[in-house]
Amino acid sequence: MALALRITGVIDELSRRVGIIAIWLVLFSSLVAAFNAVFRYSTDSILWLEQNVGGIGFFEFILTLYRNNSNTLSESQWYMFAGMVMLGGAWTLKVNEHVRVDLVYGSVSERTRTWIDLLGGLFFLLPICILMIYFTWPWFVDSWVTNEGSNNAGGLPRWPAKLMIPLGFALVGLQGIAEIIKCVLVFTHGYVREFAYEKPLQ
């Protein structure tokens, strides 16, 4: 049991650390979106300042810098969105906050829930993670090898966003293995899972 708990502890810690990255991406994405919106709708004001303050071309320089990199800013938002979704999935599974269709799960005993989690992990979660990694890894590798770039001027390379899919499913699969181990320990050693199911308020 000690070895199994050490394995699950390492996976849990990995999911926690990657989850922190996902949380920071939420903040960075929000800041970039806010900056992009403010700057885009204030270009008239910047041009007015340039015409009325003038002299050094500072405002024109800022405006040109923004125009040359606006696609980079826009694309970085959805790159970060991909990161927050795919990198946050494993931690969401670990803390039992994932979305489920709660037709039966909320009305059965904790032991039955553990059976559902165990069988669901073995026959649904892990197979879909393996399939998604299998189908999306070549897609990422092709993008990386060819150094696929954005169709937009000044855009970002595509492979980092494509990497998020197999990486995210690999992390969810790893956390799924940890949760399966915990379910087995419940039945064999009386282990109590840390994050119990909470019936949603409706």
Side-chain angles (χ1 to χ4, degrees):
M1 180 175 174
L3 176 60
L5 288 177
R6 277 201 296 273
I7 292 170
T8 60
V10 169
I11 296 172
D12 287 349
E13 181 61 18
L14 174 64
S15 295
R16 186 187 73 83
R17 289 175 184 258
V18 175
I20 290 171
I21 294 171
I23 291 168
W24 279 103
L25 287 176
V26 175
L27 173 63
F28 293 147
S29 178
S30 301
L31 291 174
V32 169
F35 173 80
N36 208 12
V38 168
F39 216 88
R40 179 167 294 172
Y41 293 109
S42 63
T43 52
D44 289 340
S45 300
I46 293 171
L47 289 172
W48 182 87
L49 284 170
E50 180 63 31
Q51 291 167 359
N52 292 279
V53 176
I56 57 172
F58 175 74
F59 299 109
E60 185 178 348
F61 168 76
I62 294 295
L63 189 58
T64 302
L65 185 66
Y66 173 75
R67 284 175 176 158
N68 291 340
N69 294 283
S70 62
N71 286 333
T72 301
L73 289 172
S74 296
E75 290 186 7
S76 70
Q77 290 175 62
W78 66 265
Y79 277 43
M80 287 186 277
F81 182 77
M84 69 181 80
V85 171
M86 298 308 298
L87 299 180
W91 181 249
T92 304
L93 178 62
K94 187 256 184 289
V95 296
N96 202 16
E97 290 293 333
H98 51 289
V99 176
R100 55 166 62 90
V101 180
D102 188 14
L103 299 176
V104 177
Y105 198 87
S107 60
V108 296
S109 67
E110 184 60 33
R111 185 174 179 83
T112 305
R113 288 186 195 123
T114 305
W115 272 112
I116 292 171
D117 290 342
L118 175 59
L119 297 176
L122 285 171
F123 296 110
F124 293 99
L125 178 66
L126 290 185
I128 198 66
C129 287
I130 291 167
L131 279 173
M132 289 302 295
I133 293 166
Y134 176 78
F135 285 116
T136 61
W137 182 256
W139 189 49
F140 151 69
V141 170
D142 182 59
S143 179
W144 182 45
V145 169
T146 60
N147 197 27
E148 180 186 4
S150 171
N151 295 327
N152 300 316
L156 297 170
R158 290 285 191 235
W159 65 263
K162 291 184 176 182
L163 174 61
M164 289 298 107
I165 301 172
L167 178 60
F169 277 102
L171 291 166
V172 170
L174 262 180
Q175 189 60 49
I177 291 169
E179 298 307 311
I180 288 168
I181 292 171
K182 292 172 191 175
C183 290
V184 171
L185 291 177
V186 169
F187 296 123
T188 58
H189 292 84
Y191 174 78
V192 177
R193 293 191 289 174
E194 182 181 359
F195 292 96
Y197 170 74
E198 294 181 10
K199 191 169 184 177
L201 300 174
Q202 296 179 355

